[in-house]
Amino acid sequence: MSNEYHLLGSTGLRVSRLALGTMTFGEAVLGSHDWGADEATARAVFDCYLDTGGNFIDTANLYTGGRSEELLGKFMAEGGTRDQIVLATKFSAPVSQDNPNLAGNGRKNMVASLEASLRRLGTDYVDLYWLHSWDRLTPIEEVMSTFDTLVRSGKVRAIGLSNIPAWYLAKGQLLARARGWEPIAALQLKYSLVERSIEREHVPAALELGMSVIPWSPLDYGFLSGKYTRGADGPAGEGRIQAFKDLGFHQPPTDQHWTVLDAVREIAADLGRSPAQVALNWITNRPGVTSTLIGARTLAQLDDNLAALDFDLTAEQSRRLDELSASEPGYPYQIFDLATRSPNLAVSARPRSFRD
Ligand SMILES: NC(=O)c1ccc[n+]([C@@H]2O[C@H](COP(=O)([O-])OP(=O)(O)OC[C@H]3O[C@@H](n4cnc5c(N)ncnc54)[C@H](OP(=O)(O)O)[C@@H]3O)[C@@H](O)[C@H]2O)c1
C-alpha cells in the first residue's frame, strides 16, 4: 500500500486509502462454514496491514460477539500500536437480548455500548464511533446530541453513520451545523461494482455536506475475487457466500453481476493483476471515496488486496466497468434532463470533489 493518507470528511484525521475490516477476527461459524480467522491468522493480518503503512482499522461490538474487539485490544496492547491506529468501532447491535434500551440507537445504548467496547479494546477512546444501522425509531436529534457529548468527553474523536437513508444523514449533518455539534465525518455504506445504489442519494449528499464515503464489502463478500463460478443454484465454489446465502444475507448474483465479473477477470488478465485488485482499484477511485474497507480471512487474501493500489486502470478499462455495472437511474432521475435541458445545448457542471 502507498504511504498516502486522506483526510476523513471535514476533520483533520488522516486515514490510509485501504482500511482494515476485522469482521473476520475470531470464530464466525454459520452452519457448516467458519468464515472467520483464528487468533494467529488475525494477528498476522493485523501486523501485515500495519507493516505496509495502513493506519485505519474498523471493528464493531457486533463482530464475532465482541471477540474482534478483544483481539484488537490484545494486539494493540502487545505491540504498543494503539496511538498509530485510527481505531473505529460501532454500536446499534443489541447488548442485551431482554432489555429494549440496550439495543438500537438511543442514548442509553450508545453510551453503554461505547463503555463495553472501550473495555474490550483496552483503550480509553476511539478515533471514530459509528452508528451501525438505522433502528427506524430513535430521532436523529438524540443520536447527534449524544455523539457531540461523547466527543466533548474525549472518549470519541470523530463520528460516522452506517446503513442509513440519505434523508436521515442530511438531516443529521444540517442539525449538527445549526447547533454547533460535532459534524458527521464519514458514511460507511455497502458499495461495489455489483452494488452501486448509494450513487443516487448518499454519494451526492456526502460530496455536498463534507463527509467521506467508506465502502464496505467492496468485493461483495468475495464474489468479485473471481473464485466463484455460475452454478445451478447460485455461485459455486468455497467461501463466505456459501455460509451466508442460506440466511438470505447475500443476494444471488444477477446476469449483470456475472457480466461485470467476466469483465473484471478479463481486465485483470490483461494487467497481470487479480480480479480482487481490479475491483478494489475501481472503487477506491470513485467520487467521494476516501478509504475502502478491505476484508481478509487469510494472510494471502490480505496480500492480494493490499496490492490493489499499485497500478492504474486505463480510462478505457474504467469506462467499461462503469458502463457494465451501471444501473437504471430510476425515478425521479430519468426525467431531469427531459424536464430542464434544451436538446441542442450541452450544459454540464464542473466535476468536483468535496474538498473544492
Ligand atoms: N457497516 C456494515 O454494516 C458492514 C457490513 C459488512 C462489513 N463491514 C466492514 O467492512 C469490512 C469488509 O467487508 P467484507 O469482509 O464483507 O469485505 P469483502 O471484501 O466484500 O469480503 C471479504 C471476504 O471475501 C473473501 N476474500 C477477500 N479477499 C479475497 C481475495 N483476494 N481472494 C479471494 N477471496 C477473498 C474472504 O472470504 P472467504 O475466504 O471466507 O470467502 C473475505 O473474508 C468488514 O470487515 C467490516 O469491517 C461493515
Side-chain angles (χ1 to χ4, degrees), residues 21-24 35 58 63 90 132 162-163 188 216-222 225 227-228 239-240 276 293-297 301 304-305:
T22 63
M23 192 169 78
T24 43
W35 54 277
D58 183 76
Y63 295 165
K90 317 185 189 78
H132 203 152
S162 180
N163 306 323
Q188 188 175 139
W216 62 260
S217 291
L219 297 180
D220 191 44
Y221 284 17
S225 72
K227 66 183 175 186
Y228 298 97
R240 187 200 298 176
L293 276 158
I294 51 171
R297 188 181 48 80
Q301 291 173 352
D304 187 14
N305 299 345

Side-chain angles (χ1 to χ4, degrees), residues 5-159:
Y5 302 90
H6 286 176
L7 292 180
L8 193 75
S10 307
T11 75
L13 203 55
R14 290 114 166 117
V15 295
S16 27
R17 292 184 65 202
L18 296 178
L20 180 65
T22 63
M23 192 169 78
T24 43
F25 279 23
E27 191 182 68
V29 180
L30 276 175
S32 56
H33 301 272
D34 184 357
W35 54 277
D38 62 21
E39 181 170 340
T41 306
R43 184 192 299 272
V45 164
F46 174 87
D47 288 344
C48 174
Y49 174 74
L50 291 186
D51 288 348
T52 53
N55 78 341
F56 190 12
I57 298 189
D58 183 76
T59 184
N61 65 345
L62 176 70
Y63 295 165
T64 52
R67 183 73 178 136
S68 169
E69 289 184 328
E70 282 170 5
L71 287 173
L72 279 177
K74 187 172 178 187
F75 302 157
M76 290 188 295
E78 287 171 4
T81 50
R82 171 65 191 94
D83 283 347
Q84 81 185 67
I85 293 170
V86 175
L87 180 63
T89 193
K90 317 185 189 78
F91 68 92
S92 294
V95 171
S96 156
Q97 299 306 324
D98 48 21
N99 182 341
N101 284 307
L102 290 182
N105 301 328
R107 182 169 292 130
K108 182 165 173 138
N109 194 44
M110 285 180 76
V111 174
S113 296
L114 178 65
E115 294 300 336
S117 287
L118 292 176
R119 269 196 303 279
R120 284 189 291 268
L121 289 162
T123 184
D124 52 10
Y125 74 100
V126 290
D127 297 280
L128 177 58
Y129 198 35
W130 294 107
L131 175 149
H132 203 152
S133 185
W134 188 35
D135 63 8
R136 292 184 286 186
L137 294 168
T138 310
I140 187 70
E141 288 81 356
E142 180 171 338
V143 172
M144 295 304 295
S145 71
T146 309
F147 265 142
D148 187 64
T149 306
L150 293 175
V151 171
R152 285 168 201 270
S153 78
K155 293 184 180 184
V156 168
R157 301 286 157 87
I159 61 171

Side-chain angles (χ1 to χ4, degrees), residues 1 48 53 79 99 107 118 124 168 177 182 210 261 311 323 349:
M1 195 182 357
C48 174
N99 182 341
R107 182 169 292 130
L118 292 176
D124 52 10
Y168 189 82
R177 280 188 188 166
E182 181 66 22
L261 182 58
F311 65 99
E323 286 180 7

Side-chain angles (χ1 to χ4, degrees), residues 146-214:
T146 309
F147 265 142
D148 187 64
T149 306
L150 293 175
V151 171
R152 285 168 201 270
S153 78
K155 293 184 180 184
V156 168
R157 301 286 157 87
I159 61 171
L161 303 180
S162 180
N163 306 323
I164 29 65
W167 67 263
Y168 189 82
L169 71 89
K171 187 175 175 188
Q173 190 72 321
L174 294 178
L175 192 65
R177 280 188 188 166
R179 302 263 172 92
W181 290 341
E182 181 66 22
I184 301 160
L187 307 174
Q188 188 175 139
L189 301 163
K190 191 175 190 203
Y191 191 22
S192 73
L193 269 166
V194 294
E195 176 51 270
R196 292 178 58 183
S197 52
I198 65 161
E199 291 177 3
R200 289 196 187 100
E201 296 278 342
H202 295 75
V203 173
L207 291 168
E208 182 69 26
L209 297 170
M211 295 172 264
S212 289
V213 174
I214 312 290

